[in-house]
Amino acid sequence: MPHQSTHSVMFHHFHDAKHEPAQGSLDKVDFKNMINWLDKNYSLLGANDYKSKLLNGKLQSTDICLSFDDALKCQYDIAVPVMKEFSIDAFFFVYSSAFSENPDLLEVYRYFRTSAFNDIDEFYSDFFEVVEQKNALAYSEQKAIYTKLDYLSAFPFYTENDKWFRYIRDQYLNGNEYCEIMNNLMRKKEFDLEKAKNLLWMTEDDLKDIDMQGHIIGLHSYSHPTQMSKLNKAEQELEYKKNHNHLTNLLGKSVTVMSHPCGDYNKDTLEILSNLGIEIGFRSSMSIKNISSALEIPRDDHTNIFMEMRK
C-alpha cells in the first residue's frame, strides 16, 4: 500500500542517448509511467499548490509532490519537458558550487564510478582495496563496527556495497582522504574531469528557464556536505547563506524552500534556515513520517516507488 503520509517524491538521475544510465536512473517513459501511477495512487499536487496548502494547514495525508535534487542537466533535458506535457510543476533544489569554477565533486565522483567501470561493484572492489591498503587494521576495525549497525536502513534500495561505501566515505575517511583516493582512481582511468563537469549540471540559464516555467527553486547548501550536522553552526550558516545569496541574486526573488543534503541536519541547521526565511524543508527518506516541523517533511526516493510499481 502507498504511504499514507503527505510527502514528496525525490528524483535525481535520468538517462537517454545523451545521458548515461546510472544506479536507479529513469528514462522518459519510466518517468511518464511513474507520474501516472502516482496520480492514480495519491493526490499528486504541483509544487506551488503543495506549498500553499502546507503553509495554510490544508494538506491531506495522501497529498504528494515531486522534487529534484542537485540541478542535474539530465533533469532539465528529460524530466522538465515531461512535466510540461503533464502541466505539473515541481521543486528543484540546487547546490550553488555546481555553478562555480570549483564545484564540489560529489556528483562527478558518482558519475565516475558509474561510467568508468564495467559495473558499480567493479568500482567498489577497487575502492575498498585502496582503502584497506592504506591501513588494514583500521579498515578491519571499521568493518566490525559497521556490521553491528543497521546503517542506512532508511534506504532499502541500497546494496550492501552501496552502504559500506557510504559508511567509509562519511564515517571513516575524512574529506581530504576520500577526495585523494577518488582523484587517484580517476587519474588511473584517465577520466576526463572537465568533460564530466560540462555534462552533469544545468546552466544558470537553465535555472532561470525552470523558474519561468513555474517550478520552485530552493536551497540545497553551497557545497553539498554529505553530513551537514558535522559542521559547526558558523560553517553551516556559510553554506546556506552563500547558497541563498546565489539563488536570490540569480532569480531576482526570495527563496523560501529547501531540501537537506543527504537528509542530514541538526537543530542549528533548522535555526539557520528559519532565520533565512525558509518556510519549507524536505528530508531525504520516509524513516520519520511524522512531520515535526515544516522544515522536516519526509521524501520517498523514486527508486522505492519504482519497486512498488512493479509489484
Side-chain angles (χ1 to χ4, degrees):
M1 291 292 291
H3 297 295
Q4 296 300 304
S5 173
T6 182
H7 60 278
S8 173
V9 179
M10 174 176 62
F11 296 87
H12 287 86
H13 301 102
F14 294 82
H15 64 263
D16 61 6
K18 176 184 175 183
H19 301 281
E20 294 187 27
Q23 279 183 295
S25 64
L26 302 176
D27 63 17
K28 180 170 68 174
V29 174
D30 293 332
F31 187 45
K32 286 183 177 182
N33 290 339
M34 188 170 290
I35 289 177
N36 285 322
W37 188 90
L38 290 169
D39 196 41
K40 179 181 178 181
N41 287 276
Y42 296 89
S43 175
L44 178 57
L45 305 179
N48 286 278
D49 196 14
Y50 189 93
K51 179 185 177 186
S52 176
K53 285 189 174 184
L54 176 68
L55 295 178
N56 288 292
K58 295 183 178 180
L59 276 180
Q60 302 299 309
S61 62
T62 54
D63 288 339
I64 63 168
C65 61
L66 307 181
S67 60
F68 299 79
D69 284 2
D70 302 339
L72 301 173
K73 185 69 172 180
C74 62
Q75 298 168 359
Y76 182 77
D77 290 344
I78 301 167
V80 170
V82 169
M83 288 189 288
K84 189 172 184 179
E85 289 182 36
F86 281 87
S87 299
I88 188 167
D89 50 284
F91 293 100
F92 283 84
F93 299 115
V94 174
Y95 67 97
S96 295
S97 77
F99 302 88
S100 71
E101 290 295 319
N102 296 297
D104 179 81
L105 296 182
L106 178 73
E107 189 61 33
V108 172
Y109 294 152
R110 182 212 60 81
Y111 178 69
F112 166 67
R113 65 181 186 256
T114 59
S115 66
F117 297 82
N118 291 323
D119 57 50
I120 188 65
D121 287 319
E122 182 185 351
F123 161 76
Y124 286 143
S125 178
D126 286 2
F127 179 83
F128 297 153
E129 182 180 358
V130 171
V131 177
E132 186 173 17
Q133 286 176 349
K134 286 174 70 71
N135 190 328
L137 178 59
Y139 183 87
S140 177
E141 290 172 345
Q142 288 297 319
K143 193 63 178 282
I145 294 171
Y146 167 80
T147 56
K148 296 178 182 178
L149 304 173
D150 194 9
Y151 195 67
L152 295 178
S153 59
F155 302 89
F157 49 87
Y158 281 160
T159 68
E160 194 60 34
N161 276 344
D162 291 336
K163 291 186 280 190
W164 176 226
F165 165 73
R166 284 164 174 77
Y167 177 88
I168 291 173
R169 182 190 68 189
D170 297 335
Q171 307 299 336
Y172 172 40
L173 300 175
N174 65 45
N176 291 335
E177 289 175 324
Y178 171 65
C179 291
E180 179 184 336
I181 291 170
M182 292 300 292
N183 292 341
N184 286 337
L185 287 173
M186 290 196 298
R187 279 191 289 271
K188 287 181 181 179
K189 287 283 188 178
E190 298 182 346
F191 180 73
D192 192 332
L193 178 59
E194 292 306 314
K195 180 180 178 182
K197 288 179 182 178
N198 293 330
L199 178 67
L200 287 173
W201 289 295
M202 299 179 196
T203 65
E204 289 187 333
D205 284 341
D206 294 337
L207 289 182
K208 290 178 182 179
D209 184 51
I210 288 171
D211 177 62
M212 289 291 291
Q213 289 190 45
H215 301 284
I216 301 179
I217 294 176
L219 307 184
H220 200 48
S221 79
Y222 182 80
S223 67
H224 200 300
T226 56
Q227 298 215 298
M228 182 69 71
S229 62
K230 287 188 175 181
L231 304 184
N232 63 41
K233 188 172 184 180
E235 291 169 332
Q236 289 192 42
E237 189 169 36
L238 186 61
E239 280 285 337
Y240 282 112
K241 279 190 172 180
K242 288 172 70 177
N243 189 202
H244 187 266
N245 289 341
H246 168 238
L247 292 180
T248 54
N249 290 335
L250 177 68
L251 302 175
K253 61 169 69 172
S254 60
V255 175
T256 60
V257 302
M258 65 81 63
S259 72
H260 301 281
C262 299
D264 194 77
Y265 61 94
N266 58 21
K267 60 182 178 62
D268 286 341
T269 321
L270 301 180
E271 182 180 335
I272 290 163
L273 294 170
S274 294
N275 290 339
L276 283 173
I278 303 303
E279 299 172 327
I280 298 176
F282 291 90
R283 304 175 72 252
S284 66
S285 77
M286 296 291 291
S287 60
I288 302 174
K289 297 177 185 178
N290 294 329
I291 301 176
S292 300
S293 75
L295 297 178
E296 299 172 275
I297 302 167
R299 288 196 293 175
D300 203 358
D301 193 281
H302 80 271
T303 307
N304 290 331
I305 301 297
F306 206 48
M307 292 167 59
E308 200 163 337
M309 289 169 61
R310 292 175 169 177
K311 291 180 180 178

